[in-house]
Amino acid sequence: MSTDKTADKTADNTAGTTAGRTGDRTGGEPAWLLVTRREIVSRITDKSFVLGTAFMVVLIAGFIGFSIWQDEKTTDVTLGATPDSVAMATAIKDGAPDVDDKVEVTVTELADRDAAEAALRDDEVDAWLHPTDDGWQLTTESSEQDALTTVTRAVVQQTVLADNAAQVGTTVEALQAGSTVTTEFLRGDAERANVAEAVGFVFVFLFYFAALVFGMQLASSVIEEKQSRIVEIIAAAIPLRHLLAGKVLGNTALAVIQLLVYLAVGLVGLSFTSYSSYVPALSGPAAWFVAFFLAGFVALACLWAVAGSLASRTEDLQSTSTPLTMLMLVMFFGGLSLDGRAQVIASYVPPVSAVVMPKRILAGGVEWWEPLLALGLLAVFAGLTVMVGERLYRRALLQTGGRVSLKQAWATAE
């Protein structure tokens, strides 16, 4: 008993000393602000965080650079032609820019079939064009030349159709009259839809990536403090709700800063591509995404902190975080796969709305009040999550000796 009393007295003295030092250093500032600053400074000065962010920036810039290079890249192909196909090969050469301006065709005349096959084996030509009983054939050595095949089919079809029309005394236009099929979008156009789909995928991926990485690190830091018993000293110095608030706000600030860096790099890079005209239109949806990201991340960060407080060892985190991981997978695949009425409904259901509503905004046709309503519902959900999470966090954090269940944490007395 005397030993226990001595230990308790020592802990009390340590807590009092810590509290005094905290007050001296902060100059009376709130404890949650001190914790927030500690979280931000410790992560910004962490080499792995800096290098990870830099790597992602380089990856984004590299992908955009590769896309620009691919967009400007010209495909040069050499088409071999025997005497019976020189005229058609020349027509393909002349008509290629009208089909695909990134394809340039050079025609090489060959004496006969044997010469053509030898030229293919020696890589002197990329393909050999020759007539067959029912049309024309492109022969390559081992793999199809996709760009050349597309151009050849289009030019041959148009040329043969023109010859056949001339033989019956009509024109290609007359033969094709009424056969044109066009597409129309109720909102925007096909190119805009493709851009919206690609950017929507980026939004969903960035949210999932940030919530998973920062969430795991937040939960791990909670476990480390709990396992080392340092949280008991901290709890004697500041309220646990301040500790939770500082951790959540610090990680949220870091996640938002990192997200803004990624979005800025992406939008600036996009301005150098052929899709630069869409950059102004993407700025609004990007701002909405940041707002939804902020509300959704606060809720998930609080849940990650709870997952860490329920565990007593690092090995327990996989078990305590399983429901949260499943929720994030639902958000990820839901954000990517939902469409139609299901997408509209999900855009109002927190926390899935954090990734689904920004995608709807990208696609266009959303009424002005819809994002506001969805964001309001998400903010309410985040507030309720913080209230429930704060209670679970406080009551589970100081319990040691094994994994704490949600029921135990909720029922534990203050």
Side-chain angles (χ1 to χ4, degrees), residues 9-22 232-237:
K9 184 176 181 180
T10 303
D12 291 340
N13 291 337
T14 304
T17 303
T18 303
R21 289 178 179 174
T22 302
E232 298 176 9
I233 300 177
I234 298 176

Side-chain angles (χ1 to χ4, degrees), residues 208-225:
Y208 176 79
F209 177 79
L212 184 63
V213 172
F214 281 95
M216 288 294 292
Q217 292 174 345
L218 174 58
S220 297
S221 70
V222 172
I223 295 175
E224 290 173 3
E225 293 175 352

Side-chain angles (χ1 to χ4, degrees), residues 242-266:
H242 282 241
L243 178 61
L244 174 63
K247 285 183 173 293
V248 170
L249 291 176
N251 282 273
T252 301
L254 286 167
V256 171
I257 291 172
Q258 195 177 68
L259 175 68
L260 291 175
V261 171
Y262 295 158
L263 289 178
V265 172

Side-chain angles (χ1 to χ4, degrees), residues 15 38 221-240 243-244 247 309 393-394 396-400:
R38 185 196 66 175
S221 70
V222 172
I223 295 175
E224 290 173 3
E225 293 175 352
K226 182 176 181 178
Q227 194 170 4
S228 65
R229 309 295 291 268
I230 194 174
V231 70
E232 298 176 9
I233 300 177
I234 298 176
I238 63 175
L240 289 181
L243 178 61
L244 174 63
K247 285 183 173 293
S309 68
Y393 176 84
R394 283 189 295 107
L397 190 61
L398 297 179
Q399 295 190 47
T400 58

Side-chain angles (χ1 to χ4, degrees), residues 4 28 32 49 90 108 147 156 171 198-199 212 227 264 268 270 281 340 365 367 372 377 387 390:
D4 294 340
W32 62 264
F49 174 79
T90 302
T108 298
V156 167
T171 63
V199 176
L212 184 63
Q227 194 170 4
V268 170
L270 195 64
E367 297 293 336
L372 293 176
L377 293 173
M387 291 175 59
E390 184 265 344

